[in-house]
Amino acid sequence: MKAATIRDVADRADVSVASVSRVLTGAGPVTETTRKKVMEAVDALQYVPHSGARSLSTSKTQTIGVILPDLYGEYFSELIRGMDVGARALGYHLIVSSSHDDAEEASAAIRSMRGRVDGLIVLSPHLDAANLATSLAGRLPILLMNGGADAGRPSIVVDNHGGAVQAVEHLIATGRRRIAHISGPTGNLEAESRLAGYLEAMARANLPTTVVEGAFTQASGHQVGAELAARSERPDAIFAGNDMMAVGAMLALQDAGLSVPEDVALVGFDDVPIAELVRPGLTTLRIRIADTGRSALERLVRLVDAAGAPADTACEVVRPELVVRPSSDPAAQARTTSGDRPRDSASLPHLKGENPQ
Amino acid sequence: MKAATIRDVADRADVSVASVSRVLTGAGPVTETTRKKVMEAVDALQYVPHSGARSLSTSKTQTIGVILPDLYGEYFSELIRGMDVGARALGYHLIVSSSHDDAEEASAAIRSMRGRVDGLIVLSPHLDAANLATSLAGRLPILLMNGGADAGRPSIVVDNHGGAVQAVEHLIATGRRRIAHISGPTGNLEAESRLAGYLEAMARANLPTTVVEGAFTQASGHQVGAELAARSERPDAIFAGNDMMAVGAMLALQDAGLSVPEDVALVGFDDVPIAELVRPGLTTLRIRIADTGRSALERLVRLVDAAGAPADTACEVVRPELVVRPSSDPAAQARTTSGDRPRDSASLPHLKGENPQ
DNA sequence: GTGTGTCATGTAATCGGTTACACGGAATTA
DNA sequence: TAATTCCGTGTAACCGATTACATGACACAC
C-alpha cells in the first residue's frame, strides 16, 4: 500500500487533479459540491500532499533553516523555542543544525541546507562565518544574528556595548570600584562588544580594568572565578560576559568561602532562566530571548515573501534591560522568588499548563 | 539569475544529466575525467541539487521530524541536542516542532510533517497522543518516547518506576520517614510511573504517603513546596517528579526559612544541567539525556533504512542512576563543584571549546 | 574480421504536485 | 433564438532530480 497521490484522490472524487489541487491550496474557484467530494476522498485516503513535489513546482519549501554555533545552553534553546512558535504561526517548519563552531562546519551545514529551506537564520558569532554565510547562501534570504552590527545585511543584534555599560555603571553606583570582567572568547563578536562596553565605562569612571578571557561556558566561568578569588588584589565585583560564566564564577567564589554579593558583586548577561534560580539570584541584562527568536523568524519570513522588493538591510537592535537581583544588591532579595519572572509573550501559549492541580 | 539545475551543469560539463547525477550521488560508474569535468561545472555554477526534486524521485527526504510536548526546559533541549548530533553524523536533517500539549495540536503537527520526513520521534507524554501518532503516521516509521512501556511499537522509555523506587529508598536509608511526593500532571505517563514507584516503595517500607500534584514546571514546584512547608505535619523529605519542580520546591522551602537538607531533604529526577548548579546541589536520578536523544535518532534511522525488514518493536529501557548531592546528604557537599559533571558522549564534540583562554 | 563481453555514457520515463490555457455549459442580454 | 459573458473544470506542460534501459566504444579472443 503506497501513499495516495493527488491522482488517486482525483479518481476517487471523480474530478480532475486540477480541482483537487485547487481545493487543497485554496487557489482558484471551486463549487461547494466538488469541494466536498474532494475533501471526502482526501479523508478516506488519508491523503497528504507530497511536500517535495509541491516544492518542486512552486519552488518554495515553507521551511526555515537555523544554523547554531557550538555553544549550547539555555540561551540558544530559548531562542529556538521562540522561533518555533513564530514558525508554526506562519505555517513554516524549522530545520535546526547546531554545533558549528568553525567556519568550515558552518559552511557545510549551510551547503546541506541549500535547496531545502526558503531562508536561513545564522547565529554563528564570528565575523568570518557571517561573511561565509552570505556568500554561500547565494540568492537565499539570510538573517544574521551573529552580534555584529552589520549594515548592508539584514540582521538583528543585541546592544551588547550598551548593556555592558549599564552593568558597569550599576556596579559603580552601588559602590564597587575593583570591577573585573570575564570576557567571552576572542573572535566572538558578542563577547568583543561586551568587553568594549566594559572598557569604555571603566575608562569613563577612571577605574583600572581587569580582564580575563573565558569561553562563555559555565566551566570556564568557574575556572576564572576561582583564579580571581585567589588573587591578592581581589576584585569587589565581577561582570561576566554571559550568565553561564557568571553562574560558574558564583560557585567558584562560594567554594572559595567568599560571599556574594558582600565580598564580590556579580553581574551576568542574557537573563537565561536559571539566572533567577541560583542563590543569590543573578543580576543580569535581560534579553527577551524567546521574543527575539520569534521576531527574527517573522522578519526572515517577511524577507522570503518579499523577495525582489526593496531590499531590507536594516540592522535591528535589541536593547537589554538591567535586572537587579541580590547577586549585586542584597536589597533586591525580597523580589527574587520563583514567580517573579515576566514571561516573554512567546511563551504565553504554554502558561495554560502551569497551574498545578 | 535562477538557481542552476542539473541540466545547466550537464551542459557546461558537456556530459549528460545522468553522468552528473552519478557523480553527485556516487552511484554508478564514472571515469575520472567526467568526474572532474562535472565537479568543475558544479563549483563554477554553485550548483546544489534541489532536495524536493530529489525526494520526489527517491521518495526519501533525509529528514527526521521531532514532535515535542508543551513542556520545555532543559530536558528537551538536551534531548534535541543529542538528536542533532546523531542526525548530522548520519547525514540527516532535523525538523522540530514543539509545544504540542493536547492531542489535537500534536495531530496537526504530525499531519503537516507527513511527506516531509522519513520518520518521526514523538515525545508527547500522553497515551492518546501516542495512539494518535501511530495511527496518523500511516506507513511512516515512528519512535515513541512518551514514557509508556509500550510493547508492539518501537519505543524508548526511561525506567521511571525503578528510578522512583531508588529515590525513595535512598531517602529512607538516610533516615527520612515523612516523605512527600510532588507528582507530575495526571495523564502524563512519565509522571504516573514515577508516582507508582514512589507509592510502591513507601508501601514496602510501611510509611504513610503524601502526594500533591504539580505540573512538571518550576513554578508549580514552588507553589507545592510552599504549601508543604506550611503544613503542620511538615514532611522531612520531598521527592519531586522532576528536577524543575524540585528546584522550585527548594526555593520555596528556603523562602520559608527552612534549610535543605537539614529540615527537608530533596530529590529530583532527570539530572538536567542546572541540578548541580543550585545550592545545595540537587540529588537526582541521572538520565544521560543527550545520549538518549542521540541513540533514539540512530535507532529511528535504522528503522527507516530497514523498512520492510522484520519489524523492530522492541521497547528499549533507559535505567536512571542515582546521583547523590547535598540536597539529600550534606556529606556529598565536597563532591559538588562545577567540574564534576561527567559529560555525555554526545557532548564530546563541544568540549574543545571549553578551555578558557 | 567477426563475435562477445565490459563498461562508461546518453536518452527518456518517472516521481507528484501546480497552473496556464482551452473548453463547455449556464446565465444574461439583444 | 442567437450572441456574449462568466466561471467551474479538465488537459497537459512543467518543475528538477533519479535511474532503467539502450547505445556505442573498445578490448580481447577466436
PDB file of all heavy atoms in Angstrom, chain B residues 222-235 238 252-253 256-258 264:
ATOM      1  N   HIS B 222       7.357  25.300  43.016  1.00  0.00           N
ATOM      2  CA  HIS B 222       7.460  26.346  44.023  1.00  0.00           C
ATOM      3  C   HIS B 222       6.170  26.432  44.834  1.00  0.00           C
ATOM      4  O   HIS B 222       6.184  26.479  46.066  1.00  0.00           O
ATOM      5  CB  HIS B 222       7.744  27.683  43.331  1.00  0.00           C
ATOM      6  CG  HIS B 222       8.044  28.794  44.286  1.00  0.00           C
ATOM      7  ND1 HIS B 222       7.071  29.604  44.816  1.00  0.00           N
ATOM      8  CD2 HIS B 222       9.219  29.221  44.807  1.00  0.00           C
ATOM      9  CE1 HIS B 222       7.623  30.490  45.631  1.00  0.00           C
ATOM     10  NE2 HIS B 222       8.942  30.279  45.642  1.00  0.00           N
ATOM     11  N   GLN B 223       5.071  26.420  44.126  1.00  0.00           N
ATOM     12  CA  GLN B 223       3.768  26.520  44.762  1.00  0.00           C
ATOM     13  C   GLN B 223       3.527  25.367  45.735  1.00  0.00           C
ATOM     14  O   GLN B 223       3.164  25.567  46.890  1.00  0.00           O
ATOM     15  CB  GLN B 223       2.713  26.488  43.651  1.00  0.00           C
ATOM     16  CG  GLN B 223       1.518  27.341  43.902  1.00  0.00           C
ATOM     17  CD  GLN B 223       0.802  27.626  42.581  1.00  0.00           C
ATOM     18  OE1 GLN B 223       1.448  27.858  41.549  1.00  0.00           O
ATOM     19  NE2 GLN B 223      -0.518  27.596  42.616  1.00  0.00           N
ATOM     20  N   VAL B 224       3.767  24.150  45.228  1.00  0.00           N
ATOM     21  CA  VAL B 224       3.543  22.982  46.071  1.00  0.00           C
ATOM     22  C   VAL B 224       4.537  22.959  47.231  1.00  0.00           C
ATOM     23  O   VAL B 224       4.173  22.623  48.366  1.00  0.00           O
ATOM     24  CB  VAL B 224       3.674  21.684  45.243  1.00  0.00           C
ATOM     25  CG1 VAL B 224       3.573  20.469  46.149  1.00  0.00           C
ATOM     26  CG2 VAL B 224       2.608  21.630  44.163  1.00  0.00           C
ATOM     27  N   GLY B 225       5.755  23.368  46.973  1.00  0.00           N
ATOM     28  CA  GLY B 225       6.761  23.398  48.023  1.00  0.00           C
ATOM     29  C   GLY B 225       6.332  24.322  49.149  1.00  0.00           C
ATOM     30  O   GLY B 225       6.455  23.989  50.339  1.00  0.00           O
ATOM     31  N   ALA B 226       5.815  25.490  48.787  1.00  0.00           N
ATOM     32  CA  ALA B 226       5.369  26.454  49.793  1.00  0.00           C
ATOM     33  C   ALA B 226       4.231  25.856  50.622  1.00  0.00           C
ATOM     34  O   ALA B 226       4.179  26.007  51.840  1.00  0.00           O
ATOM     35  CB  ALA B 226       4.909  27.747  49.109  1.00  0.00           C
ATOM     36  N   GLU B 227       3.374  25.179  49.929  1.00  0.00           N
ATOM     37  CA  GLU B 227       2.222  24.580  50.608  1.00  0.00           C
ATOM     38  C   GLU B 227       2.700  23.502  51.592  1.00  0.00           C
ATOM     39  O   GLU B 227       2.251  23.453  52.755  1.00  0.00           O
ATOM     40  CB  GLU B 227       1.293  23.981  49.555  1.00  0.00           C
ATOM     41  CG  GLU B 227      -0.115  23.715  50.034  1.00  0.00           C
ATOM     42  CD  GLU B 227      -0.385  22.238  50.123  1.00  0.00           C
ATOM     43  OE1 GLU B 227      -0.390  21.562  49.067  1.00  0.00           O
ATOM     44  OE2 GLU B 227      -0.580  21.750  51.258  1.00  0.00           O
ATOM     45  N   LEU B 228       3.597  22.670  51.158  1.00  0.00           N
ATOM     46  CA  LEU B 228       4.108  21.610  52.033  1.00  0.00           C
ATOM     47  C   LEU B 228       4.858  22.183  53.234  1.00  0.00           C
ATOM     48  O   LEU B 228       4.766  21.667  54.353  1.00  0.00           O
ATOM     49  CB  LEU B 228       5.020  20.663  51.248  1.00  0.00           C
ATOM     50  CG  LEU B 228       4.322  19.748  50.230  1.00  0.00           C
ATOM     51  CD1 LEU B 228       5.355  19.000  49.389  1.00  0.00           C
ATOM     52  CD2 LEU B 228       3.401  18.763  50.939  1.00  0.00           C
ATOM     53  N   ALA B 229       5.593  23.261  52.981  1.00  0.00           N
ATOM     54  CA  ALA B 229       6.375  23.869  54.059  1.00  0.00           C
ATOM     55  C   ALA B 229       5.462  24.398  55.160  1.00  0.00           C
ATOM     56  O   ALA B 229       5.831  24.433  56.331  1.00  0.00           O
ATOM     57  CB  ALA B 229       7.239  25.003  53.499  1.00  0.00           C
ATOM     58  N   ALA B 230       4.260  24.807  54.759  1.00  0.00           N
ATOM     59  CA  ALA B 230       3.342  25.421  55.718  1.00  0.00           C
ATOM     60  C   ALA B 230       2.519  24.395  56.503  1.00  0.00           C
ATOM     61  O   ALA B 230       1.838  24.748  57.457  1.00  0.00           O
ATOM     62  CB  ALA B 230       2.416  26.386  54.981  1.00  0.00           C
ATOM     63  N   ARG B 231       2.558  23.145  56.081  1.00  0.00           N
ATOM     64  CA  ARG B 231       1.740  22.134  56.773  1.00  0.00           C
ATOM     65  C   ARG B 231       2.196  21.926  58.216  1.00  0.00           C
ATOM     66  O   ARG B 231       3.381  22.043  58.518  1.00  0.00           O
ATOM     67  CB  ARG B 231       1.831  20.792  56.038  1.00  0.00           C
ATOM     68  CG  ARG B 231       1.145  20.837  54.682  1.00  0.00           C
ATOM     69  CD  ARG B 231       0.784  19.442  54.229  1.00  0.00           C
ATOM     70  NE  ARG B 231       0.133  19.534  52.918  1.00  0.00           N
ATOM     71  CZ  ARG B 231      -0.278  18.473  52.236  1.00  0.00           C
ATOM     72  NH1 ARG B 231      -0.079  17.258  52.725  1.00  0.00           N
ATOM     73  NH2 ARG B 231      -0.872  18.631  51.080  1.00  0.00           N
ATOM     74  N   SER B 232       1.268  21.575  59.058  1.00  0.00           N
ATOM     75  CA  SER B 232       1.624  21.313  60.456  1.00  0.00           C
ATOM     76  C   SER B 232       2.472  20.037  60.520  1.00  0.00           C
ATOM     77  O   SER B 232       3.469  19.962  61.219  1.00  0.00           O
ATOM     78  CB  SER B 232       0.367  21.173  61.301  1.00  0.00           C
ATOM     79  OG  SER B 232      -0.508  20.236  60.715  1.00  0.00           O
ATOM     80  N   GLU B 233       2.065  19.034  59.762  1.00  0.00           N
ATOM     81  CA  GLU B 233       2.843  17.794  59.695  1.00  0.00           C
ATOM     82  C   GLU B 233       3.809  17.903  58.511  1.00  0.00           C
ATOM     83  O   GLU B 233       3.631  17.247  57.482  1.00  0.00           O
ATOM     84  CB  GLU B 233       1.906  16.599  59.457  1.00  0.00           C
ATOM     85  CG  GLU B 233       1.233  16.076  60.700  1.00  0.00           C
ATOM     86  CD  GLU B 233       2.097  15.026  61.400  1.00  0.00           C
ATOM     87  OE1 GLU B 233       2.381  13.994  60.758  1.00  0.00           O
ATOM     88  OE2 GLU B 233       2.510  15.247  62.562  1.00  0.00           O
ATOM     89  N   ARG B 234       4.792  18.762  58.677  1.00  0.00           N
ATOM     90  CA  ARG B 234       5.674  19.017  57.547  1.00  0.00           C
ATOM     91  C   ARG B 234       6.521  17.779  57.203  1.00  0.00           C
ATOM     92  O   ARG B 234       7.032  17.113  58.100  1.00  0.00           O
ATOM     93  CB  ARG B 234       6.593  20.180  57.890  1.00  0.00           C
ATOM     94  CG  ARG B 234       7.295  20.734  56.689  1.00  0.00           C
ATOM     95  CD  ARG B 234       8.580  21.457  57.028  1.00  0.00           C
ATOM     96  NE  ARG B 234       8.488  22.272  58.215  1.00  0.00           N
ATOM     97  CZ  ARG B 234       9.403  22.217  59.196  1.00  0.00           C
ATOM     98  NH1 ARG B 234      10.417  21.403  59.147  1.00  0.00           N
ATOM     99  NH2 ARG B 234       9.270  22.993  60.255  1.00  0.00           N
ATOM    100  N   PRO B 235       6.626  17.443  55.936  1.00  0.00           N
ATOM    101  CA  PRO B 235       7.469  16.302  55.561  1.00  0.00           C
ATOM    102  C   PRO B 235       8.941  16.582  55.865  1.00  0.00           C
ATOM    103  O   PRO B 235       9.356  17.742  55.911  1.00  0.00           O
ATOM    104  CB  PRO B 235       7.251  16.177  54.042  1.00  0.00           C
ATOM    105  CG  PRO B 235       6.702  17.488  53.608  1.00  0.00           C
ATOM    106  CD  PRO B 235       5.958  18.052  54.770  1.00  0.00           C
ATOM    107  N   ILE B 238      11.236  15.478  50.398  1.00  0.00           N
ATOM    108  CA  ILE B 238      10.342  15.601  49.245  1.00  0.00           C
ATOM    109  C   ILE B 238      11.018  14.952  48.052  1.00  0.00           C
ATOM    110  O   ILE B 238      12.183  15.225  47.751  1.00  0.00           O
ATOM    111  CB  ILE B 238      10.040  17.077  48.917  1.00  0.00           C
ATOM    112  CG1 ILE B 238       9.287  17.741  50.073  1.00  0.00           C
ATOM    113  CG2 ILE B 238       9.227  17.175  47.624  1.00  0.00           C
ATOM    114  CD1 ILE B 238       9.014  19.222  49.856  1.00  0.00           C
ATOM    115  N   ALA B 252      11.179  27.484  47.405  1.00  0.00           N
ATOM    116  CA  ALA B 252      10.049  27.748  48.286  1.00  0.00           C
ATOM    117  C   ALA B 252      10.399  27.400  49.728  1.00  0.00           C
ATOM    118  O   ALA B 252      10.080  28.146  50.659  1.00  0.00           O
ATOM    119  CB  ALA B 252       8.829  26.950  47.827  1.00  0.00           C
ATOM    120  N   LEU B 253      11.072  26.273  49.901  1.00  0.00           N
ATOM    121  CA  LEU B 253      11.457  25.866  51.254  1.00  0.00           C
ATOM    122  C   LEU B 253      12.396  26.894  51.860  1.00  0.00           C
ATOM    123  O   LEU B 253      12.254  27.285  53.030  1.00  0.00           O
ATOM    124  CB  LEU B 253      12.132  24.486  51.210  1.00  0.00           C
ATOM    125  CG  LEU B 253      11.222  23.318  50.806  1.00  0.00           C
ATOM    126  CD1 LEU B 253      12.045  22.048  50.569  1.00  0.00           C
ATOM    127  CD2 LEU B 253      10.162  23.060  51.872  1.00  0.00           C
ATOM    128  N   ALA B 256      10.780  29.912  52.883  1.00  0.00           N
ATOM    129  CA  ALA B 256      10.005  29.711  54.118  1.00  0.00           C
ATOM    130  C   ALA B 256      10.917  29.580  55.327  1.00  0.00           C
ATOM    131  O   ALA B 256      10.462  29.250  56.417  1.00  0.00           O
ATOM    132  CB  ALA B 256       9.118  28.474  53.975  1.00  0.00           C
ATOM    133  N   GLY B 257      12.193  29.784  55.112  1.00  0.00           N
ATOM    134  CA  GLY B 257      13.120  29.746  56.232  1.00  0.00           C
ATOM    135  C   GLY B 257      13.586  28.350  56.604  1.00  0.00           C
ATOM    136  O   GLY B 257      14.238  28.160  57.632  1.00  0.00           O
ATOM    137  N   LEU B 258      13.276  27.387  55.786  1.00  0.00           N
ATOM    138  CA  LEU B 258      13.713  26.022  56.081  1.00  0.00           C
ATOM    139  C   LEU B 258      15.044  25.769  55.396  1.00  0.00           C
ATOM    140  O   LEU B 258      15.369  26.395  54.384  1.00  0.00           O
ATOM    141  CB  LEU B 258      12.676  25.022  55.570  1.00  0.00           C
ATOM    142  CG  LEU B 258      11.306  25.145  56.237  1.00  0.00           C
ATOM    143  CD1 LEU B 258      10.291  24.259  55.538  1.00  0.00           C
ATOM    144  CD2 LEU B 258      11.419  24.784  57.713  1.00  0.00           C
ATOM    145  N   VAL B 264      14.463  19.603  55.410  1.00  0.00           N
ATOM    146  CA  VAL B 264      13.785  18.799  54.389  1.00  0.00           C
ATOM    147  C   VAL B 264      14.811  18.355  53.338  1.00  0.00           C
ATOM    148  O   VAL B 264      15.521  19.192  52.780  1.00  0.00           O
ATOM    149  CB  VAL B 264      12.671  19.608  53.678  1.00  0.00           C
ATOM    150  CG1 VAL B 264      11.927  18.729  52.684  1.00  0.00           C
ATOM    151  CG2 VAL B 264      11.710  20.225  54.688  1.00  0.00           C
TER     152      VAL B 264
END
